[in-house]
Amino acid sequence: MTTTLDQISPIGYQGDDPTVAALRDSIYGPYLATYRKARELIMRLGDVPQDHLPYALEAGIAPDLLRSVLSEVGVPAREITADTHLRGALGDWAAVAAPHLLTVWTGHFDLAIGAIATHGTGAPYQQQCLADLDTGAAVGVLALTELGGTNGADQQMQAVWDRDADGFWLSSPTIGSVKGPPNIADNTVPKIVVFSARLIFEGRDEGVFLFLSRLRTVEEGLADGVEVGEMSSKLGAAMDHGWALADRLFVPREGFLGGEWATITDDGEFRCDEADARWRCHRSISPLVGGRLDLATANIAAARAGVAGLVNYSKQRPHGHSDVLQRDLVTSAAHAYAGSVLGRLVRDLSTDPGQQERLPLWMTVVKPVLTTIAEKALRTCSARGGAQGQLRCNYYPDWNANARGSTTAEGDNQVLEKSAGRTHQALSTLILPGTPTVRPWWLDMIITRETILATDLYTATGIDQAGENYEPDGTALGIDSIRADLARTTGARLMATAALIVAEEATDPTAATVARACAAVVALTYLDRHSGWYNAHRQQAPDLAEEIHDELRHNRVIVTANQILLAAAFDIPELPDAPMFAPDYLQAWSDRAGWDKAKLANR
């Protein structure tokens, strides 16, 4: 059966158009049923943006939603954590339809439960904590960041081993060692907190490890030996951010999360398979990798919703077909699509046992690029929605706030990009399965920049040198700027490649054309923005610059012509009380306001 465009709606389309189905398959892969079930569960929570709640009360919504979703799903939280695709589906739809829930999602599942799953020993104390986390009776939190910064292996909170007490005393010896801002300030919500702290064993500093604490319980309230206070609120993404100043906060021996690789033996001796004390920190905080993946795909899901909402709204507005609006819209749509495909491919890759050692490197690139493009797409769609795009009832302000917070959470994007850039030429080995052997010229140009930046960094620093004397060319202030530029270039390569992979795999010719056009828009937008660099490095003659512009315009036209198909493939439902997502936004406002239709009709 042939479907015409006017039969396809950008919001809530459930038809069988082959192009929509093929594009949808490229986004969700074989897990569409899982994502739709997750959508159904999350939508039943009834979370909507709040216009009138004080900040503290709004922050209190998330723990209730967490308990509700765990009840709806009907399996323990540890099982959700272990199921990469179920966890991703629920987190992605939380970002779209339950933005309050997203604020605690990765902290509970990836960071707290993930830390116990990765570094736990099955000890009774750990199992008791997991039992409360399984139902949401307590909210899981990772207390990593300190007022002095996250600082990796240089964190300052201390955990002093006490043989007689058979446990550890956590303390904050300096102002900079006070934990802040974990979401622990609400004194009515039980919290199970994983603290990162320096293990001091018989006077020796053994490096940074993780320690599991029942910080606040229903029965006993706040644990002895710690003070907790409120920190400032944010504009959106309400959370009970607080500080924790420890003064002999006790953690029992079984609260030490070192797995089988680091332990206090029955004889009271410290044993660790990792000889390098600094690498002990990196090994301890490995659960952050799952959190980075979940934040990346969740925010791209919100970007898909933002694009679909604007496509739907612009169809109903007199100025919606303006070419300047459409240019912004389809550029955002192309990036949201390519980012969605990249997120799906990397999530699939994360389940491959052979990729586990390299997954941290993948996420130093993928988390920054996906959260950055998601935030930009959401800001753009919010702005192009005019006054409607600024209203919380249309979700954009809440999505924007979560996206902005996600660029910092689980590792600030710039910090991750610098870390990725330190590996210089290793980034070129991040190859997606199914990468085409024959590449379009515009992808080759991105690879050329990636190669030049990596070679320059390697020449300047070698494998081990810090590169303090590095003198960059161009506009960079120093070596870290070049490292970040390299990571972003790798991210652009992966984004464009992901869309090309599914274009080659698509059996529907229109879907293949749209996917390839999205890949081209991503790549050519990148080249256009960095034309100065290409000119300075003699990689771009005037005729090539003209071709970039021509090809960019050509592929934007393709995406523009197919934007309804693309939005329908995003599979976004009509969101409750959100006029921009309604088939008739004016009628939605009338229904929302309760206007008398008969009186309006007679005017």
Side-chain angles (χ1 to χ4, degrees):
M1 185 180 76
T2 302
T3 309
T4 60
L5 270 181
D6 59 2
Q7 295 175 298
I8 299 174
S9 58
I11 298 296
Y13 178 71
Q14 298 298 308
D16 57 1
D17 179 81
T19 300
V20 173
L23 289 169
R24 196 173 279 168
D25 183 65
S26 68
I27 295 168
Y28 296 103
Y31 300 98
L32 178 61
T34 300
Y35 276 81
R36 284 190 165 171
K37 183 62 176 177
R39 182 182 68 186
E40 177 187 342
L41 291 172
I42 294 296
M43 292 289 288
R44 281 209 299 264
L45 298 178
D47 185 35
V48 295
Q50 298 293 319
D51 286 327
H52 306 298
L53 280 183
Y55 185 89
L57 290 179
E58 187 167 0
I61 293 174
D64 291 336
L65 290 173
L66 178 64
R67 287 187 292 273
S68 295
V69 76
L70 287 169
S71 175
E72 288 280 353
V73 176
V75 300
R78 73 183 82 182
E79 293 186 21
I80 295 174
T81 302
D83 188 331
T84 301
H85 291 287
L86 175 61
R87 191 186 74 236
L90 289 166
D92 287 4
W93 280 110
V96 173
H100 291 102
L101 177 59
L102 184 66
T103 62
V104 299
W105 187 264
T106 57
H108 188 83
F109 291 94
D110 296 289
L111 307 188
I113 296 175
I116 300 171
T118 303
H119 300 306
T121 60
Y125 175 77
Q126 296 170 15
Q127 294 303 308
Q128 291 166 11
C129 291
L130 277 173
D132 284 348
L133 294 169
D134 273 340
T135 62
V139 175
V141 178
L142 173 65
L144 177 70
T145 303
E146 299 174 343
L147 292 184
T150 302
N151 299 329
D154 295 319
Q155 291 183 46
Q156 301 176 54
M157 176 177 264
Q158 295 182 354
V160 179
W161 166 250
D162 186 332
R163 184 187 299 266
D164 295 333
D166 199 33
F168 308 86
W169 299 103
L170 270 61
S171 63
S172 307
T174 65
I175 295 173
S177 68
V178 174
K179 293 295 184 182
N183 51 307
I184 56 174
D186 189 337
N187 60 19
T188 69
V189 179
K191 295 289 174 76
I192 290 174
V193 179
V194 177
F195 285 96
S196 57
R198 311 193 70 79
L199 170 60
I200 307 301
F201 186 85
E202 296 184 352
R204 302 191 309 270
D205 184 342
E206 297 288 357
V208 175
F209 291 90
L210 301 182
F211 299 84
L212 181 63
S213 169
R214 299 178 70 88
L215 183 71
R216 185 184 291 109
T217 63
V218 172
E219 298 80 12
E220 300 180 7
L222 188 66
D224 293 334
V226 64
E227 294 180 53
V228 171
E230 294 181 0
M231 297 188 76
S232 178
S233 63
K234 307 193 302 280
L235 286 175
M239 299 176 72
D240 61 324
H241 290 299
W243 49 261
L245 192 160
D247 183 10
R248 292 179 62 81
L249 168 64
F250 185 70
V251 172
R253 175 208 290 261
E254 292 182 349
F256 179 62
L257 298 179
E260 298 301 321
W261 61 279
T263 187
I264 308 295
T265 67
D266 292 338
D267 295 332
E269 296 300 323
F270 174 69
R271 179 184 61 77
C272 184
D273 296 342
E274 180 60 67
D276 188 330
R278 297 189 67 82
W279 275 102
R280 293 170 182 172
C281 173
H282 296 289
R283 192 164 178 176
S284 292
I285 63 175
S286 60
L288 286 170
V289 172
R292 289 165 182 164
L293 174 61
D294 287 356
L295 284 179
T297 64
N299 283 282
I300 279 293
R304 290 197 297 270
V307 167
L310 184 58
V311 171
N312 183 66
Y313 179 60
S314 65
K315 285 176 56 187
Q316 305 176 52
R317 295 284 289 157
H319 69 281
H321 297 294
S322 165
D323 62 90
V324 67
L325 184 151
Q326 287 294 315
R327 181 177 61 182
D328 285 352
L329 172 54
V330 299
T331 301
S332 295
H335 282 77
Y337 173 75
S340 297
V341 177
L342 176 59
R344 194 258 298 175
L345 293 177
V346 174
R347 187 171 291 279
D348 289 347
L349 183 146
S350 75
T351 64
D352 180 355
Q355 289 288 345
Q356 296 310 299
E357 288 188 9
R358 288 171 58 79
L359 199 57
L361 180 59
W362 275 97
M363 294 318 303
T364 58
V365 174
V366 172
K367 187 262 184 178
V369 71
L370 293 192
T371 54
T372 297
I373 66 166
E375 183 191 17
K376 183 165 186 179
L378 286 166
R379 281 193 285 108
T380 298
C381 291
S382 175
R384 297 292 77 78
Q388 297 284 332
Q390 313 308 309
L391 300 176
R392 289 191 72 182
C393 67
N394 286 316
Y395 286 79
Y396 288 93
D398 291 64
W399 292 334
N400 276 314
N402 278 344
R404 181 67 193 90
S406 296
T407 64
T408 299
E410 275 71 292
D412 180 81
N413 281 358
Q414 279 197 354
V415 174
L416 293 178
E417 288 165 344
K418 289 189 298 181
S419 175
R422 285 181 179 274
T423 69
H424 33 75
Q425 291 171 325
L427 294 185
S428 65
T429 67
L430 297 180
I431 304 296
L432 291 166
T435 294
T437 54
V438 178
R439 302 183 297 257
W441 61 267
W442 32 260
L443 183 55
D444 278 335
M445 284 188 68
I446 294 177
I447 293 172
T448 295
R449 184 173 195 231
E450 184 182 27
T451 302
I452 291 173
L453 291 174
T455 302
D456 286 351
L457 285 170
Y458 180 79
T459 301
T461 66
I463 296 176
D464 300 315
Q465 298 176 33
E468 288 87 350
N469 298 321
Y470 177 73
E471 290 291 338
D473 58 7
T475 61
L477 292 180
I479 195 168
D480 283 342
S481 299
I482 303 298
R483 287 167 172 156
D485 287 347
L486 171 59
R488 292 166 188 167
T489 305
T490 301
R493 168 176 64 81
L494 292 172
M495 286 252 302
T497 301
L500 280 176
I501 290 171
V502 295
E504 290 206 350
E505 294 174 347
T507 56
D508 180 85
T510 304
T513 298
V514 173
R516 183 180 172 85
C518 287
V521 169
V522 168
L524 293 161
T525 299
Y526 177 88
L527 297 178
D528 188 36
R529 289 172 180 165
H530 294 89
S531 59
W533 184 92
Y534 283 95
N535 288 333
H537 287 77
R538 296 176 175 80
Q539 298 295 322
Q540 176 178 275
D543 59 339
L544 182 55
E546 183 178 357
E547 186 174 2
I548 288 171
H549 285 171
D550 289 345
E551 280 293 301
L552 180 53
R553 180 185 181 280
H554 170 71
N555 284 283
R556 279 175 172 163
V557 167
I558 293 173
V559 179
T560 300
N562 292 279
Q563 62 182 281
I564 293 177
L565 296 172
L566 197 55
F570 289 167
D571 213 25
I572 305 301
E574 186 175 342
L575 298 176
D577 259 351
M580 284 184 68
F581 292 81
D584 183 339
Y585 86 96
L586 292 175
Q587 185 60 53
W589 271 111
S590 179
D591 295 342
R592 180 183 172 89
W595 293 327
D596 187 320
K597 298 178 184 178
K599 287 184 178 179
L600 285 171
N602 293 327
R603 290 185 180 182

